[in-house]
């Protein structure tokens, strides 16, 4: 065997080159992430209320996402107008387990927010408690002992009250170079952590270094009527709006679905404000290919109530997909900024 290899090594090398040229693109990973259309997921299979009367359905919309795709996948994706290929955000690089934990936290927060909002809007009994800010993402260059799942309860010994106030104060103190100490609840263990952000190389700007949500829990047994949670097969916060609509529909008299397959996306807070999400371009295609009758699009509005249209924002990306589909009459395209707007549209449209 050695003699054969020695005698024919050049031929073997030459014959191996095409093989490596075929295999390597499927192995080499590059700093691009891919997003493609996914599935509709019926909310009632995750959050169920006894006696629900809906004839149609409320559905969250998922997409398929792959981080740091192979060169071969990138080349194939370039040929598909429905697929997005975006440069990976280098400051966020999580392991598979960290990504799963992060997505699970975001999903759980969205479910709690949805239920609390729906019960309050329906004037039904429910009790909730504010726990602080739950951390769902930690940037790779963040050097301090804060982990995914930690709950921030105090800021310089003052109780944390909400995400916006916390973020504004943190940014102000960083700019003024004030010391910042955060109190952390990690699985019931309380500790204090000194905080500093991630500064850019020129020291002129910074990243907070962690991402978080207001974290509310529901007092066990406080909801009337009672609800039941089943295992969710999707991750992330983007199902918030549809979850809230589904629960609200289940605990009020009128059936908002009117027999329709209703899809949509958008985060939700307990005040009913809808937030932007990722992958909305692909979600429009997913809803259409799944024969949805309605698709709710999260939007921002200015002080005059006009939709803010900016390149790359949720409304612009969703509209681009809808126009590629030819603005089909079979699927209503509905921009909404709040839970209230979505309910009013459903009540007013057969």
């Amino acid at each position: 065997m050695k003699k054969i290899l020695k005698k024919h090594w050049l031929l073997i090398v030459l014959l191996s080159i095409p093989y490596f040229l075929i295999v390597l693109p499927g192995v080499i990973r590059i700093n691009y992430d891919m997003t493609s259309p996914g599935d509709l997921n019926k909310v009632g299979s995750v959050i169920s209320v006894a006696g629900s009367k809906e004839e149609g359905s409320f559905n969250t919309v998922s997409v398929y996402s792959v981080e740091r795709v192979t060169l071969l996948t990138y080349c194939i994706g370039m040929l598909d107008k429905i697929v997005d290929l975006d440069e990976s955000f280098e400051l966020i690089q999580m392991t598979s387990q960290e990504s799963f934990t992060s997505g699970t936290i975001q999903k759980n927060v969205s479910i709690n927010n949805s239920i609390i909002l729906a019960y309050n809007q329906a004037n039904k009994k429910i009790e909730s408690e504010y726990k602080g800010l739950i951390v769902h993402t930690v940037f790779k260059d963040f050097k301090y002992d804060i982990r995914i799942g930690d709950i921030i309860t105090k800021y310089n010994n003052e109780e944390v009250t909400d995400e916006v106030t916390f973020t504004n104060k943190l940014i102000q103190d960083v700019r003024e170079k004030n010391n910042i100490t955060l109190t952390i609840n990690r699985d019931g263990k309380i500790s204090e952590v000194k905080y500093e952000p991630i500064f850019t190389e020129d020291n002129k700007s910074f990243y907070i270094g962690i991402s978080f949500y207001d974290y509310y829990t529901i007092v066990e047994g406080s909801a009337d009527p009672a609800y039941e949670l089943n295992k969710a097969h999707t991750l992330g916060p983007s199902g918030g709006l549809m979850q809230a609509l589904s629960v609200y529909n289940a605990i009020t008299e009128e059936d908002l679905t009117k027999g329709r397959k209703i899809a949509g996306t958008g985060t939700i807070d307990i005040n009913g404000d809808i937030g932007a999400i990722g992958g909305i371009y692909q979600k429009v295609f997913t809803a259409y290919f799944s024969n949805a009758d309605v698709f709710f699009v999260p939007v921002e509005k200015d002080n005059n109530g006009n939709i803010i249209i900016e390149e790359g924002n949720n409304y612009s990306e969703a509209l681009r997909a809808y126009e590629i589909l030819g603005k089909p009459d079979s699927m209503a395209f509905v921009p909404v900024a709040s839970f209230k707007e979505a309910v009013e549209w459903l009540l007013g449209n057969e």
Side-chain angles (χ1 to χ4, degrees):
M1 185 66 178
K2 290 182 179 179
K3 290 182 179 180
I4 294 174
L5 290 174
K6 187 174 181 180
K7 183 177 181 181
H8 301 289
W9 69 269
L10 181 58
L11 178 61
I12 293 171
V13 169
L14 291 174
L15 291 175
S16 298
I17 290 175
Y19 172 78
F20 283 110
L21 290 177
I22 293 171
V23 171
L24 284 178
V27 176
I28 297 173
R29 292 193 173 273
I30 58 177
N31 288 324
Y32 278 85
D33 302 332
M34 184 182 75
T35 307
S36 60
D39 298 310
L40 292 193
N41 309 280
K42 190 174 179 180
V43 175
S45 65
V46 178
I47 312 173
S48 58
V49 180
S52 178
K53 74 288 180 184
E54 65 184 33
E55 294 181 6
S57 61
F58 288 98
N59 303 269
T60 61
V61 187
S62 63
V63 295
Y64 296 120
S65 298
V66 180
E67 297 179 354
R68 298 193 73 246
V69 298
T70 65
L71 182 59
L72 179 61
T73 302
Y74 177 85
C75 294
I76 294 172
M78 287 288 289
L79 302 175
D80 193 337
K81 66 180 180 181
I82 300 178
V83 170
D84 269 347
L85 291 160
D86 300 301
E87 285 192 60
S88 303
F89 187 42
E90 288 297 306
L91 285 175
I92 299 178
Q93 289 187 1
M94 295 187 285
T95 65
S96 297
Q97 182 58 52
E98 287 171 337
S99 293
F100 179 79
T101 302
S102 175
T104 301
I105 288 171
Q106 295 180 62
K107 183 68 174 182
N108 291 340
V109 167
S110 79
I111 288 174
N112 284 357
N113 286 353
S114 301
I115 294 170
I116 294 167
L117 170 64
Y119 273 70
N120 287 337
Q121 290 294 311
N123 293 316
K124 300 295 183 180
K125 181 186 173 185
I126 195 166
E127 295 177 25
S128 61
E129 297 177 346
Y130 183 72
K131 298 296 186 180
L133 299 172
I134 189 164
V135 177
H136 62 78
T137 303
V138 179
F139 289 23
K140 71 171 186 176
D141 292 331
F142 189 74
K143 300 176 182 178
Y144 300 89
D145 188 23
I146 298 178
R147 304 177 191 173
I148 294 172
D150 286 350
I151 302 171
I152 304 171
T153 59
K154 292 183 180 180
Y155 184 105
N156 287 344
N157 290 321
E158 293 184 6
E159 296 287 340
V160 172
T161 58
D162 64 271
E163 179 183 347
V164 174
T165 302
F166 175 91
T167 302
N168 289 341
K169 183 166 179 54
L170 184 146
I171 291 172
Q172 179 182 343
D173 281 341
V174 169
R175 288 173 175 168
E176 294 176 359
K177 299 182 179 180
N178 297 326
N179 293 328
I180 300 172
T181 300
L182 304 179
T183 301
I184 304 297
N185 181 336
R186 179 180 297 161
D187 297 325
K189 184 178 179 181
I190 308 300
S191 61
E192 290 189 347
V193 178
K194 289 187 177 181
Y195 167 86
E196 285 187 18
I198 301 171
F199 286 95
T200 55
E201 291 184 3
D202 58 12
N203 242 17
K204 293 181 180 179
S205 59
F206 61 88
Y207 297 96
I208 291 177
I210 52 177
S211 299
F212 38 76
Y213 288 129
D214 287 316
Y215 183 41
Y216 293 87
T217 59
I218 298 170
V219 177
E220 186 175 356
S222 68
D224 185 15
Y227 64 87
E228 182 179 341
L229 295 180
N230 302 306
K231 183 178 179 180
H233 297 288
T234 59
L235 303 174
S238 65
L241 170 61
M242 303 311 296
Q243 292 161 181
L245 288 171
S246 180
V247 174
Y248 179 83
N249 191 59
I251 60 178
T252 53
E253 292 184 4
E254 185 169 357
D255 180 13
L256 297 175
T257 69
K258 298 182 173 70
R260 296 170 292 193
K261 180 185 280 189
I262 301 167
T265 190
T267 65
I268 202 80
D269 62 25
I270 65 168
N271 299 313
D273 294 322
I274 299 171
I277 51 83
I280 194 166
Y281 177 79
Q282 288 75 25
K283 289 184 177 183
V284 174
F285 287 101
T286 300
Y288 177 73
F289 294 151
S290 301
N291 300 313
D293 299 303
V294 179
F295 184 80
F296 283 113
V297 181
V299 298
E300 292 181 85
K301 293 187 176 181
D302 60 25
N303 294 332
N304 296 318
N306 299 314
I307 295 173
I308 297 174
I309 303 174
E310 296 177 347
E311 184 178 354
N313 74 0
N314 271 192
Y315 179 71
S316 297
E317 286 297 292
L319 183 60
R320 180 165 68 93
Y322 191 59
E323 288 175 341
I324 288 174
L325 289 169
K327 295 186 176 181
D329 293 334
S330 60
M331 186 176 78
F333 181 85
V334 187
V336 287
S338 69
F339 174 81
K340 182 181 178 182
E341 288 183 6
V343 171
E344 288 176 348
W345 188 92
L346 290 169
L347 287 171
N349 292 270
E350 294 289 339

